Structures are given as structure tokens and as C-alpha cells.
């Protein structure tokens, strides 16, 4: 069973469109992180959300942590080809607090 | 800035062979991790370490071993390689635990194929 479900799995859009990616779970997380991974490279942290209901903005990217700290969303406004990549959400839980990753959303933004 | 360095980047192994994936970080991070990434499956934690001399199992430790003799190095050993170990392996480090909002810094990955 996958603890963190991401949707959609694949997304192909045109430059300028808006999109939302979801990360859902039945478990509560102490914090949730979003990473972006480009081909042949390791994931790079975009943001960490900690408080239920928290909203963080990073230029055209808006991240939200659900009130119950079980889910999160990533909204991209006016997507650009440079946004292309694999978006991974990861939740921290357990006594050691290790990150559990979702399967990712593969985004392709066409010019 | 080197960050997290992994070697080798690519390797092909025959079934039953053994090898070690090397990982070194120069950020003086106490926490280090090994993940594997299979197509469409996200990242799965193999082993982690909270400091020199301390290691512990993650979600998928079978078939692997690790050691942490120094803060900088965290090698991953594959004994008796099997086709199921074909994957991309990522080493990562962090200053603090993810529950304390610790950011993971990843290496570029090591792509391993077992034939």
C-alpha cells in the first residue's frame, strides 16, 4: 500500500496554463515536503509545510497543507517549460521521522 | 560546492556479484540516507544513519548493508546482486531530522543494472 498518493501521475499541458497536483494520505504527518526532480538528477527541495492550513508561495508555485495535516496540494500558475519535471511529495512521520515519498507527478509543459 | 557525491554513476553487474556504492558529503551533516527509485514508484528508504557508528534499516533493507565509520561517508553494499536490485540509487544527507523540517540534499544518483 502507498502511504502517500499523488495525482495525477502524468500531466502534459501548454505553456501558460494553470495546474494543480495533489498529495493525499489517510495518515497524519508532522511536516510535508515537495521536491522537484529533473532527469538524471536527484530531487531538490521546493518547500516544507508544517502547520495545518499553511499556505506557502514560491513565485508562481503555491503550496497548501491540509488542515488535518493529511494532504497537500501544489498549484502552478502560468506554467513554463522550465517547470517540466517530476514533482514528489514526501511526508515525515514515525519515531525517527524519516521521509516517505509519493510516486510523483510527471509534468511536461510544452512551449 | 560538492554537496553529496555518489560513485559510480553507472554500473552493470552480473547476478551474484557484489559491489559497493560510495557516498560522501562535505556539509558535516549527521543524517544520511540511501533510497532506491524504480520507475513510477517514488523513492523507497533502504537504510539511514543518524551519525557516525549508527545505522538502521528503512523500508526495503533486504539484500543491502551499510556502514558509517565517519560523518562524511556512507557506503551501500550489495551482496549477491539480483535482478530485483536493478534501480537508481540515491544517497542523501540532512542537517536535522525531516520531522524538524530538515531538508534532504541528494546526490545525482547511481544507476545499477543487474543482468
Amino acid at each position: 500500500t502507498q502511504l502517500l498518493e499523488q495525482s495525477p501521475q502524468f500531466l502534459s499541458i501548454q505553456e501558460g496554463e494553470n495546474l494543480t497536483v495533489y498529495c493525499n494520505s489517510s495518515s497524519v504527518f508532522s511536516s510535508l515536503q515537495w521536491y522537484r526532480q529533473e532527469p538524471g538528477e536527484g530531487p531538490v527541495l521546493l518547500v516544507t509545510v508544517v502547520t495545518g492550513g499553511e499556505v506557502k508561495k514560491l513565485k508562481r508555485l503555491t503550496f497548501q497543507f491540509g488542515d488535518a495535516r493529511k494532504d497537500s496540494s501544489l498549484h502552478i500558475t502560468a506554467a513554463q517549460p522550465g517547470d517540466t519535471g517530476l514533482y514528489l511529495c514526501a511526508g515525515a512521520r514515525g519515531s525517527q521521522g524519516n521521509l516517505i515519498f509519493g510516486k510523483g507527478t510527471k509534468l511536461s509543459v510544452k512551449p | 560546492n560538492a554537496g553529496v557525491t555518489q560513485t559510480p554513476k553507472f554500473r552493470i553487474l552480473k547476478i551474484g556479484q557484489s559491489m559497493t556504492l560510495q557516498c560522501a558529503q562535505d556539509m558535516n551533516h549527521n543524517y544520511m540516507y540511501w533510497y532506491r527509485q524504480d520507475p513510477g514508484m517514488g523513492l523507497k528508504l533502504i537504510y539511514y544513519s543518524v551519525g557516525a557508528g549508527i545505522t538502521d534499516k528503512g523500508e526495503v533493507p533486504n539484500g543491502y548493508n551499510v556502514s558509517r565509520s565517519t560523518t562524511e561517508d556512507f557506503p551501500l553494499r550489495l551482496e549477491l546482486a539480483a535482478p530485483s536490485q536493478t534501480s537508481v540509487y540515491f544517497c542523501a544527507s540532512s542537517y536535522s531530522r525531516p520531522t524538524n523540517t530538515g531538508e534532504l540534499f541528494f546526490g545525482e544518483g547511481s544507476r545499477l543494472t543487474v543482468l
Side-chain angles (χ1 to χ4, degrees):
Chain A
T1 56
Q2 189 72 19
L3 201 56
L4 276 169
E5 297 285 347
Q6 286 191 243
S7 61
Q9 191 174 355
F10 300 97
L11 193 54
S12 182
I13 61 173
Q14 293 296 129
E15 182 176 1
E17 292 184 15
N18 301 332
L19 66 116
T20 302
V21 173
Y22 299 93
C23 176
N24 295 307
S25 176
S26 57
S27 299
V28 176
F29 293 97
S30 56
S31 65
L32 199 139
Q33 299 180 350
W34 284 91
Y35 289 80
R36 183 168 76 199
Q37 184 180 19
E38 299 190 21
E41 298 182 8
V44 176
L45 181 70
L46 294 173
V47 79
T48 300
V49 285
V50 179
T51 306
E54 182 177 4
V55 177
K56 280 192 174 179
K57 292 192 175 184
L58 186 65
K59 296 183 180 178
R60 294 174 294 101
L61 278 61
T62 301
F63 303 84
Q64 185 162 8
F65 201 12
D67 291 341
R69 291 186 289 130
K70 292 182 179 181
D71 53 82
S72 182
S73 64
L74 158 60
H75 182 80
I76 301 179
T77 304
Q80 299 178 0
D83 295 327
T84 293
L86 179 67
Y87 289 81
L88 295 157
C89 68
R93 65 190 295 265
S95 59
Q96 294 299 321
N98 291 317
L99 282 181
I100 297 170
F101 282 83
K103 292 183 179 181
T105 293
K106 192 168 185 179
L107 172 66
S108 174
V109 182
K110 301 185 189 311
Chain B
N1 289 338
V4 178
T5 303
Q6 290 184 234
T7 56
K9 284 187 170 38
F10 302 93
R11 183 73 185 268
I12 298 175
L13 281 181
K14 294 183 179 179
I15 294 172
Q17 286 185 322
S18 300
M19 76 159 298
T20 300
L21 299 178
Q22 301 291 344
C23 175
Q25 53 94 6
D26 62 358
M27 296 174 281
N28 201 32
H29 287 168
N30 282 326
Y31 300 85
M32 294 189 75
Y33 315 83
W34 274 105
Y35 285 89
R36 60 177 287 174
Q37 185 175 37
D38 301 314
M41 294 301 294
L43 290 104
K44 299 289 187 185
L45 182 64
I46 305 171
Y47 269 95
Y48 66 98
S49 170
V50 300
I54 306 169
T55 63
D56 209 344
K57 296 177 181 179
E59 301 172 72
V60 290
N62 292 343
Y64 307 94
N65 274 303
V66 293
S67 60
R68 185 93 183 272
S69 56
T70 67
T71 299
E72 294 78 20
D73 300 300
F74 190 40
L76 177 71
R77 177 97 179 145
L78 281 73
E79 303 281 1
L80 300 174
S84 61
Q85 293 177 304
T86 293
S87 189
V88 181
Y89 292 84
F90 287 97
C91 179
S93 71
S94 65
Y95 175 75
S96 61
R97 293 181 191 277
T99 44
N100 292 334
T101 68
E103 172 184 359
L104 264 62
F105 292 85
F106 285 86
E108 293 186 336
S110 297
R111 184 178 294 273
L112 177 66
T113 302
V114 182
L115 301 174

